[in-house]
Amino acid sequence: MISAKPITIAGAGLIGASIAWRLAQAGATVRLFDSGRVGGEASWAGAGMLAPGSEFLRQSQWTELALESLDLYPGYVEELRQESGLEIDYVGCGAIEYPGAPEDWPAMRERGESQRAYGLACEVGENELRYPRDAVVDPRQVMDALAEACRRRGVEIHEGAPLNHYDTQGAPLVIAAGAWSGRLAITENGKKVPLPETVPVKGHLLGYRLEPGTLKTILRRGHTYVLQRSNGYTLAGSNEERIGFDREINAKVVADIAERAARLCPLLEGRAHEEAWCGFRPQTKTGALALGRVEGTSVWLAYGHYRNGILMAPSTARRIAEELVAG
Ligand code: GLY
């Protein structure tokens, strides 16, 4: 039975807005809050690489959620297109990963073989792993569609409205504020609700304007990746820095990514990038996902997805919404 009380969601990025949409579809009254705009900083910044193959090197609590989401994605995108009337670029292009150095290959090959055992589609080649089910989605278009679908479903959207200090008074609250989640001061009838702490993991991305269809698959080597949207816009990433919410674009990091990306993808050799930006991956202090109900409270957690929030949004939304609907 769906909660008769309004359900409040802190954070209108891809995860928070997906949960809001699913709950509204189930008939709940939903209020979605964000300190900025719908779209959140991290979701807007993400590359949209749906590529668990090179992200989850062994089976863990993440792999089930990631694989479930990869399966859900085409249907999730199609349903969102229909409910919003907006286009979303989704390309089932697969991925190829190369070893960083020849001596890395034996461990990589072993990893590919073990991944197949827990359901991750992986083809082991001569000197590369191929992940035929990996895909690319445009997270900014997903966000626009989610915002519209939420509006059409009657979700109350509050932008520029952070829930920094909030007492639930026993009504359901979902925390999906990414790297900012651990900073919220949440109480339930005056009693502090303990939240896993969060760390922002800064990453840079570069954008290039290329001819459509020039890159047919995601390319990866170590921390370097290159992927292309249907319109030819090509993204190269990335790096990781744990230096707080620092929004400065670091020219040295940008030059390093450009150089690594051109080595991985010759199409980028001698080409200048058009844009460079950065975002904050949300990691918890322990590295574990913060997912599900805080025992004995009416608070649900949906954060800490680190490098894979865009990938794991559909399965996270499904689980949290199902738990809330079940009461
Ligand atoms: N998911 C890729 C990244 O976080 O850079």
Side-chain angles (χ1 to χ4, degrees):
M1 246 265 281
I2 196 76
S3 170
K5 296 176 185 171
I7 299 174
T8 301
I9 299 176
L14 223 137
I15 291 178
S18 295
I19 296 170
W21 178 47
R22 289 301 187 205
L23 286 168
Q25 283 179 321
T29 304
V30 185
R31 308 183 311 162
L32 182 59
F33 290 79
D34 199 282
S35 58
R37 293 177 19 190
V38 177
E41 220 178 305
S43 302
W44 179 88
M49 188 167 59
L50 311 176
S54 310
E55 295 283 336
F56 305 107
L57 307 188
R58 59 194 67 81
Q59 194 166 18
S60 68
Q61 66 164 161
W62 303 79
T63 43
E64 195 189 324
L65 203 63
L67 294 183
E68 183 184 320
S69 241
L70 197 62
D71 281 345
L72 289 174
Y73 241 100
Y76 166 87
V77 162
E78 191 45 45
E79 200 181 338
L80 262 181
R81 282 184 186 130
Q82 279 174 18
E83 286 220 5
S84 67
L86 296 173
E87 194 38 57
I88 299 173
D89 189 42
Y90 170 89
V91 195
C93 54
I96 301 181
E97 183 184 352
Y98 301 102
E103 58 270 24
D104 298 339
W105 174 241
M108 238 179 95
R109 187 181 53 214
E110 213 172 284
R111 182 236 296 176
E113 275 154 11
S114 72
Q115 285 177 319
R116 286 215 301 248
Y118 57 83
L120 219 157
C122 177
E123 294 163 4
V124 180
E126 282 292 302
N127 190 43
E128 85 250 348
L129 297 181
R130 290 187 297 273
Y131 294 101
R133 301 205 49 234
D134 287 3
V136 171
V137 74
D138 183 339
R140 298 179 193 179
Q141 289 185 334
V142 177
M143 275 316 317
D144 288 345
L146 269 173
E148 181 58 22
C150 280
R151 282 189 198 100
R152 290 187 184 187
R153 287 270 176 189
V155 172
E156 243 181 60
I157 297 176
H158 302 265
E159 298 185 313
L163 293 188
N164 291 341
H165 298 271
Y166 182 78
D167 193 290
T168 68
Q169 296 173 4
L173 169 70
V174 180
I175 300 179
W180 293 265
S181 300
R183 290 178 156 195
L184 306 185
I186 305 298
T187 50
E188 182 138 305
N189 300 317
K191 196 167 161 230
K192 184 171 190 266
V193 177
L195 301 181
E197 287 180 65
T198 39
V199 186
V201 184
K202 180 179 175 184
H204 287 70
L205 281 170
L206 313 187
Y208 299 77
R209 193 71 55 188
L210 262 57
E211 279 300 303
T214 45
L215 180 61
K216 305 259 182 271
T217 187
I218 302 168
L219 299 178
R220 303 193 73 164
R221 184 188 290 127
H223 282 302
T224 313
Y225 52 81
V226 181
L227 54 97
Q228 191 173 75
R229 307 214 187 291
S230 299
N231 63 4
Y233 194 68
T234 300
L235 289 86
S238 183
N239 73 313
E240 290 200 353
E241 294 169 279
R242 287 168 176 79
I243 53 171
F245 290 98
D246 166 40
R247 289 178 175 80
E248 232 172 74
I249 302 301
N250 181 326
K252 268 197 186 145
V253 170
V254 168
D256 176 53
I257 295 173
E259 195 265 324
R260 285 188 275 130
R263 257 189 289 135
L264 176 61
C265 176
L267 279 173
L268 301 182
E269 262 172 37
R271 259 181 206 271
H273 56 274
E274 204 169 80
E275 296 170 278
W277 65 96
C278 65
F280 302 109
R281 307 175 183 95
Q283 192 174 38
T284 61
K285 268 243 162 92
T286 61
L289 265 171
L291 191 65
R293 193 174 192 163
V294 180
E295 224 181 291
T297 73
S298 57
V299 177
W300 272 260
L301 309 179
Y303 64 85
H305 296 72
Y306 183 32
R307 298 174 58 89
N308 290 286
I310 290 164
L311 168 63
M312 296 203 273
S315 57
T316 298
R318 177 148 103 175
R319 284 182 194 205
I320 299 288
E322 276 175 7
E323 281 186 31
L324 276 154
V325 170

